[in-house]
Amino acid sequence: MNAILEPWPWYVGGPMIAITLISLLYLGKSFGFSSNLRTLCSMAGAGKNCEFFCFDWKAQSWNLLFLVGTIAGGFISYHYLSLPEVVTPLSETTITKLHDLGFNSAGQAYIPTELFGVTAFESPKQILLLLLAGLLVGFGSRYAGGCTSGHAISGLSNFQLPSLYAVIGFFAGGLIMVHLIFPFIF
């Protein structure tokens, strides 16, 4: 039974992503997740007030199925296909550093419950940080012309130079955040 709950190896997951991408390219579609927000806003009538949302959202409705499938797949895998313990143990040094920053769930949970648990919404600081992070991610994905998945998977496979710049920026921003900014926030 536990063998079923183990993470899939790269040689299974990688080809599945490749098959999905090749299928989308064959059908003339491009992969990206952030475009779903634009589609949802357009469906709700935002095109009446903003030209950006004035487009044929029905042509993008296929991507909403991908969104629903991702949410359903995440729910199913978390609740029914995951082991309760951490998949990859963290080093003691990492756990100690995270504990020093106030993340007592380090080494015991997949994600820090201090940021993503119910208790995160009890602190005005946490709520402000989550809102600011959402704003920055939303602005960044719009400014970059897509999200990390769209640029890294679809854009790079199409040899788009702007996607390469965006992916380099995503990684640089992540490194700066984790090593320079994050320690000062917590």
Side-chain angles (χ1 to χ4, degrees):
M1 177 74 178
N2 282 348
I4 295 173
L5 299 178
E6 293 292 320
W8 289 355
W10 65 268
Y11 52 83
V12 174
M16 290 176 73
I17 293 171
I19 290 168
T20 302
L21 183 61
I22 291 167
S23 301
L24 289 174
L25 291 173
Y26 179 75
L27 295 170
K29 312 284 186 192
S30 63
F31 177 77
F33 218 75
S34 61
S35 59
N36 284 313
L37 180 59
R38 182 180 182 206
T39 303
L40 289 170
C41 290
S42 181
M43 287 173 61
K48 297 174 187 171
N49 301 319
C50 180
E51 189 175 323
F52 176 71
F53 296 112
C54 188
F55 74 102
D56 181 21
W57 62 266
K58 291 179 183 177
Q60 289 293 317
S61 60
W62 67 271
N63 210 9
L64 294 176
L65 291 175
F66 183 78
L67 174 68
V68 171
T70 301
I71 293 169
F75 179 83
I76 291 168
S77 67
Y78 179 78
H79 289 286
Y80 302 109
L81 301 175
S82 296
L83 296 173
E85 66 268 2
V86 176
V87 175
T88 306
L90 297 174
S91 72
E92 287 301 319
T93 305
T94 302
I95 292 173
T96 303
K97 286 182 179 182
L98 289 171
H99 283 185
D100 290 344
L101 290 172
F103 295 104
N104 296 322
S105 63
Q108 300 172 359
Y110 285 106
I111 58 174
T113 56
E114 294 82 3
L115 284 179
F116 300 103
V118 177
T119 57
F121 296 103
E122 295 173 358
S123 164
K125 177 185 173 184
Q126 297 290 13
I127 292 172
L128 181 64
L129 284 173
L130 290 171
L131 287 172
L132 181 63
L135 179 68
L136 290 173
V137 167
F139 173 78
S141 64
R142 175 68 188 117
Y143 187 73
C147 60
T148 54
S149 58
H151 281 297
I153 297 173
S154 200
L156 289 180
S157 67
N158 285 327
F159 301 109
Q160 295 177 3
L161 191 57
S163 289
L164 178 62
Y165 295 149
V167 170
I168 291 170
F170 296 147
F171 275 95
L175 290 171
I176 290 168
M177 178 64 191
V178 167
H179 295 289
L180 301 178
I181 299 172
F182 195 76
F184 291 109
I185 295 174
F186 294 97

